Amino acid sequence: MLLAIETSCDDTAACIYDGQRVLSHVVYRQEVHAAYGGVIPEWASREHEVRLPLAVQEALRGAGLTWADLHAVAAAQGPGLLGSLLVGSTFARALAAAQGRPFIGVHHLEAHVASLELGEKPVVYPLLVLVATGGHTHLFRVVHPLAMEAIGRTQDDAVGEAFDKVAASLGLPYPGGPQIEALAAQGNPGAFRFPQPRTEQPWDFSFSGLKTAFLYARRDHPEIPLADLCASWQKAVFSYLVDKLLGAAQTYRIPRVGLVGGVAANEYLRSLLLAQAAERGIEVYLAPLAYCMDNAAMIAVAGWHRYLNGLYTPLTAVPFARG
Ligand code: KG4
Ligand code: ZN
């Protein structure tokens, strides 16, 4: 019985996992940030302080367990907001020490990749995985859940961050991704052409130009309905992502790709990837919708792999903001 904790950013989550099934999962999405266009780090830490003990108790109760039933405790160790990470990691290390159980520090991006294993289809390795979140846009060549190499990453904004900034420019609440997706669903994706970004390295990404292009298009073309502009922008962003992911799969001769992270919750992106991959004969693994945004089940799966391999983390290990 593994207790997993996630507090990297603005979601407070706890999960009980038995190595095969998620027995209980609790996630509290902090609402205090909604009106501010992004996460306010100090407020996020304070919310975790209040919510985490409640989330853990609820997860234990949901699985019908007590503290003494736990065999190991895992928590996100980074990257993320340091104050937020400290709340979850310190809680987990103290609990592990008190119960005399191993502590397992989990890399947040490794956990997003591991969320694929929560899907219906058993994952076949190796595969290329796109991690698309509010803080990261990374392309990984994954040979095993614990062995992955970043072959590309964003050179500026993360893709989710670009959605959040575009939404904020329209006065829409944070997180902006679902807001833009809802607007785009009512618009014509062929209404406006956005330029495709370029990067020096083939598998890197850039989103700041696309973000700025949206702001200019909105200013210079007030006659284009907002829904049409959002639909066109979303199409440009996701065609770019999908082309990269599938292009990398072909170049690396790995006919399997995965899509994870908060942005992977976008239905337009999910269906675009499925359709384009089918044309190229590439198999797709999608993170389940419930486990795209930050959650503790993905920490549990990654933590479980570490647990099975005896990869315990010293109680003296401190969280890290980057890396
Ligand atoms: O993985 P996540 O919960 O947290 C990080 O690790 O950053 O991702 C949050 C990001 C936010 O930027 C949010 O706007 C974006 O995921 N997002 C979406 C959608 N749902 C969440 N972006 C586009 N479409 C969505 N439906
Ligand atoms: Zn995340």
Side-chain angles (χ1 to χ4, degrees), residues 9-228:
C9 189
D10 60 334
D11 298 308
T12 314
C15 164
I16 304 284
Y17 186 66
D18 70 358
Q20 280 172 338
R21 285 173 311 135
V22 174
L23 301 187
S24 62
H25 181 239
V26 179
V27 52
Y28 169 67
R29 305 214 181 276
Q30 301 179 0
E31 281 161 14
V32 290
H33 314 286
Y36 298 89
V39 177
I40 299 168
E42 175 70 19
W43 289 5
S45 318
R46 288 171 189 234
E47 286 273 291
H48 288 309
E49 283 284 358
V50 174
R51 296 286 176 166
L52 181 61
L54 302 172
V56 170
Q57 275 180 336
E58 203 178 320
L60 280 171
R61 207 179 313 122
L65 303 180
T66 68
W67 304 110
D69 298 318
L70 300 174
H71 299 108
V73 186
Q77 206 53 354
L81 299 173
L82 199 60
S84 289
L85 287 161
L86 273 167
V87 177
S89 170
T90 304
F91 188 105
R93 285 179 288 145
L95 177 58
Q99 295 296 330
R101 298 300 191 193
F103 167 67
I104 297 160
V106 172
H107 192 284
H108 184 78
L109 299 187
E110 193 173 284
H112 271 297
V113 171
S115 72
L116 292 177
E117 296 199 346
L118 292 159
E120 304 267 293
K121 205 163 54 165
V123 182
V124 176
Y125 295 91
L127 76 165
L128 282 157
V129 180
L130 178 68
V131 180
T133 75
H136 298 87
T137 307
H138 275 47
L139 193 50
F140 285 105
R141 189 174 70 87
V142 182
V143 282
H144 175 270
L146 299 180
M148 57 194 77
E149 168 205 13
I151 61 165
R153 64 187 69 205
T154 182
Q155 297 301 299
D156 39 59
D157 292 346
V159 58
E161 185 181 2
F163 271 87
D164 296 335
K165 287 179 175 170
V166 161
S169 79
L170 300 171
L172 297 170
Y174 171 87
Q179 305 284 334
I180 301 292
E181 179 176 16
L183 271 170
Q186 293 154 28
N188 167 16
F192 190 84
R193 261 183 86 83
F194 285 97
Q196 289 284 295
R198 285 173 198 279
T199 50
E200 257 174 53
Q201 301 299 325
W203 312 121
D204 281 344
F205 303 92
S206 166
F207 296 101
S208 71
L210 273 169
K211 173 194 67 190
T212 311
F214 180 95
L215 304 182
Y216 287 157
R218 180 86 180 124
R219 184 194 67 189
D220 299 341
H221 297 280
E223 76 286 0
I224 301 178
L226 182 57
D228 286 356

